[in-house]
Amino acid sequence: MTTENNPNYKLTLSKEEMQRYGYKIIDHIVDHFETQNSKKPVAQASRAEMDSLLTENIPNLSTPAHEVLDFVMDQVIPNSNIVSHPKSYSFVPGPSNYISVMADTIATGFNIFSGGWAASPAAAELEIVTMNWLLEIFGFPTKQGGGIFTSGGSMANLTALVTARRIKCRNDFSKATIYLSDQAHSSNIKAIKVIGFKKEQIRIIPTDMEFKISLNKLKNIIAKDRLEGLQPFCIIASAGTTNTGTVDPLDEIANICENENMWFHIDGAYGGAAILASNGKKLLKGIERADSLTVDPHKWFFQPYEIGCLLVKNHNWLSSTFSEKPEYLRDIEGNESEINFYDHGIQLTRRFRALKFYMSLKTFGLASFKKAITYNIDLAEQTEILLRKSALWEITSPATLAIINFRYNPIGQNLLEEELDRINQNISKKIIASKEALLVTTVLQGQVVLRMCLINPRTTIEDIKNTLKKCEIYGEEQLLATSNT
Ligand SMILES: *Cc1c(COP(=O)(O)O)cnc(C)c1O
């Protein structure tokens, strides 16, 4: 078709078409929020099934808009896990919230360029404003401190390590060594590799029985590296590990970093938000001493994907690490107080992530976020009490920042470790096959265990009891099968 007889080349719809199309989508989304609890949270499909459903040739000609939309709503969306479902317990759930969903729609609808001040002063200002809220929440200096919203925790960790390397090593990091525990999130190792460190420069420190980094081993290896003429330059602590919610001893690690002139990065992507609960705040003592801190609003600050965040003690560290002065950005450089976020991180073109954080926090109020996070922490503790009272279950790691790990191990059965591993793996397989709950295993101290991450404020203790009851039935089936062989 030539452009003359193809009116579609302008990629527009009429006003009425846009409205009808948009309202229909809103109806779908609202319906999802209203009915998700009665749906099944698990979607499972093979590559072959998805190929046969979705593979098609490049569509050269147009298709009616409502047809494409109906297809997506019928075939694409249902083939994803519902991570905001109350019985979605695994990985890190994404509870989300409607205000932020609409905020993202506005940000996309107006296609706000959130790279530089000149293009969108209010968007840059809102990023400064919300960043200042976060700096205050985490006890960072609001004048000197700074930060940036990223796509997620992985990008925030990467941004932090590029900054740390620049400030501590300048242009030569050939002798630099970096330290993190065996429970640190894999995105940190990824980031270390991305920035060009060799395996020999990475020190994985073992954890103790409580999954905290072993301080003694950390100090020993730093001392040894110094004797060998290496440059220990950064320690990454976890403020809430993804496996168990464990917080490393932050104050002690801060002391080591001070004494050794090392960069202190805290990965609080999972647990950072717990600072809003009074018991969480106690566990996170020392978090304010980090040079850089990753938090991840699309986890426990209830934001839809994608929004991560990096906070730093001194905002100049970011600009001195990431500023480039290409001639094509000359005219929009502006004055120094007018921050160009493209100078504070890796992305130039950036979506307006601050908007959803701003609108949801303002609409619901920080007090609601505090209450939700406190509820989540309590819910995990109630679950621990429930499990401890039962003769069927054993706690592997106690409720910590809303995460609990446990396994089916009925008293008096004296099962072998490999039988326990198999039984618990199968409990998870069965519950997932039923699609009733998303509950997968992890491995702790060599044992296969079930892990619940309870950061959805709409999950109730009844949901958990209900899921555990199903697991007990599957467990008993497994027991019978074991004793029959
Ligand atoms: C989830 C997580 C990350 C990675 O964050 P993404 O948003 O998934 O990129 C990093 N660290 C910890 C501790 C996490 O839980």
Side-chain angles (χ1 to χ4, degrees):
M1 223 186 270
T2 61
T3 43
E4 287 91 290
N5 55 17
N6 178 4
N8 277 337
Y9 80 98
K10 288 191 174 168
L11 312 182
T12 56
L13 278 69
S14 74
K15 184 179 174 188
E16 289 70 28
E17 283 171 332
M18 284 196 285
Q19 285 174 326
R20 230 180 314 121
Y21 194 75
Y23 295 153
K24 200 165 154 184
I25 291 174
I26 292 291
D27 285 343
H28 279 299
I29 294 171
V30 171
D31 185 63
H32 174 69
F33 271 79
E34 282 290 297
T35 63
Q36 59 172 327
N37 290 12
S38 58
K39 293 180 190 163
K40 296 192 170 182
V42 181
Q44 273 186 317
S46 67
R47 176 64 194 262
E49 284 167 319
M50 289 297 99
D51 273 353
S52 76
L53 186 67
L54 301 174
T55 304
E56 58 184 307
N57 296 327
I58 300 175
N60 191 39
L61 300 179
S62 65
T63 311
H66 71 91
E67 250 176 57
V68 179
L69 176 58
D70 289 350
F71 178 78
V72 166
M73 292 314 303
D74 291 346
Q75 310 295 344
V76 178
I77 297 302
N79 278 304
S80 304
N81 287 345
I82 304 174
V83 294
S84 51
H85 192 285
K87 288 182 183 164
S88 182
Y89 306 111
S90 288
F91 313 110
V92 178
S96 190
N97 77 85
Y98 188 74
I99 295 291
S100 293
V101 171
M102 290 298 105
D104 259 355
T105 310
I106 297 173
T108 304
F110 287 81
N111 205 21
I112 305 288
F113 176 92
S114 228
W117 183 273
S120 41
E125 183 68 23
L126 271 197
E127 188 153 353
I128 295 168
V129 166
T130 47
M131 206 56 71
N132 281 336
W133 293 349
L134 284 164
L135 289 167
E136 191 183 321
I137 286 170
F138 287 100
F140 274 47
T142 43
K143 274 241 158 57
Q144 273 263 303
I148 186 165
F149 286 121
T150 60
S151 55
S154 302
M155 281 303 290
N157 283 334
L158 176 62
T159 308
L161 295 184
V162 175
T163 308
R165 184 187 61 182
R166 161 82 194 153
I167 302 300
K168 290 293 182 195
C169 312
R170 296 290 145 184
N171 295 319
D172 180 11
F173 59 98
S174 56
K175 289 200 155 43
T177 45
I178 185 163
Y179 305 77
L180 67 170
S181 90
D182 60 22
Q183 291 293 307
H185 191 269
S186 56
S187 62
N188 293 293
I189 295 286
K190 251 197 216 175
I192 292 167
K193 286 184 185 163
V194 169
I195 65 174
F197 279 78
K198 300 199 190 88
K199 233 174 133 191
E200 304 83 71
Q201 295 174 282
I202 309 170
R203 304 283 179 266
I204 311 280
I205 313 297
T207 43
D208 61 19
M209 291 305 284
E210 290 187 304
F211 308 100
K212 289 180 186 171
I213 194 167
S214 161
L215 287 173
N216 186 46
K217 290 183 175 134
L218 176 64
K219 287 181 191 166
N220 280 347
I221 193 155
I222 290 173
K224 196 167 142 282
D225 284 339
R226 284 246 188 261
L227 287 174
E228 290 190 357
L230 298 169
Q231 185 202 355
F233 92 104
C234 175
I235 303 176
I236 302 173
S238 303
T241 63
T242 316
N243 255 342
T244 62
T246 303
V247 180
D248 282 329
L250 303 179
D251 265 324
E252 286 84 348
I253 297 173
N255 291 341
I256 297 174
C257 286
E258 269 173 30
N259 293 335
E260 300 279 345
N261 185 27
M262 291 170 77
W263 186 277
F264 185 21
H265 176 62
I266 297 181
D267 179 359
Y270 174 68
I275 198 154
L276 292 180
S278 55
N279 39 0
K281 192 168 185 148
K282 272 183 218 129
L283 276 179
L284 293 170
K285 201 180 151 289
I287 201 167
E288 71 288 347
R289 295 178 66 188
D291 293 303
S292 57
L293 167 66
T294 288
V295 292
D296 214 359
H298 66 201
K299 287 181 173 167
W300 213 352
F301 282 105
F302 315 111
Q303 302 301 309
Y305 308 134
E306 302 173 345
I307 180 173
C309 177
L310 177 68
L311 299 175
V312 290
K313 272 281 154 61
N314 184 336
H315 69 93
N316 291 324
W317 292 338
L318 291 179
S319 48
S320 67
T321 302
F322 293 103
S323 284
E324 296 292 336
K325 302 270 173 235
E327 61 281 8
Y328 42 81
L329 294 178
R330 204 160 53 100
D331 289 345
I332 61 167
E333 224 169 68
N335 80 43
E336 220 174 292
S337 71
E338 297 169 351
I339 292 178
N340 295 315
F341 278 95
Y342 63 71
D343 271 341
H344 283 210
I346 297 164
Q347 276 185 286
L348 170 57
T349 303
R350 307 165 67 240
R351 53 184 288 107
F352 186 11
R353 295 194 175 92
L355 186 65
K356 56 184 162 186
F357 192 74
Y358 172 81
M359 287 178 71
S360 56
L361 205 56
K362 207 165 150 163
T363 304
F364 295 113
L366 188 65
S368 299
F369 281 64
K370 285 182 175 172
K371 198 163 173 188
I373 292 163
T374 305
Y375 171 82
N376 295 140
I377 294 175
D378 290 348
L379 186 63
E381 284 168 4
Q382 282 180 55
T383 305
E384 180 181 336
I385 292 170
L386 213 69
L387 290 164
R388 286 211 197 273
K389 277 192 194 147
S390 162
L392 301 174
W393 297 100
E394 169 185 271
I395 303 282
T396 316
S397 83
T400 311
L401 299 187
I403 296 178
I404 182 162
N405 288 275
F406 53 97
R407 65 176 183 174
Y408 187 76
N409 185 10
I411 291 179
Q413 293 286 340
N414 301 317
L415 295 160
L416 300 171
E417 281 299 319
E418 60 256 35
E419 286 171 336
L420 286 169
D421 283 354
R422 189 168 39 77
I423 289 172
N424 282 281
Q425 190 68 60
N426 283 334
I427 289 173
S428 165
K429 272 192 191 150
K430 290 250 170 169
I431 194 102
I432 285 174
S434 80
K435 304 193 174 182
E436 288 284 334
L438 188 62
L439 181 63
V440 305
T441 63
T442 188
V443 174
L444 290 176
Q445 288 158 350
Q447 302 175 339
V448 174
V449 300
L450 298 165
R451 173 179 167 283
M452 279 188 174
C453 177
L454 299 170
I455 64 164
N456 187 333
R458 297 174 298 275
T459 300
T460 64
I461 194 75
E462 287 310 315
D463 291 326
I464 292 167
K465 282 182 185 165
N466 181 296
T467 299
L468 289 175
K469 208 167 280 166
K470 294 231 160 76
C471 290
E472 287 165 6
I473 293 168
Y474 298 136
E476 196 167 355
E477 283 171 15
Q478 292 297 310
L479 267 189
L480 291 174
T482 309
S483 57
N484 285 341
T485 52

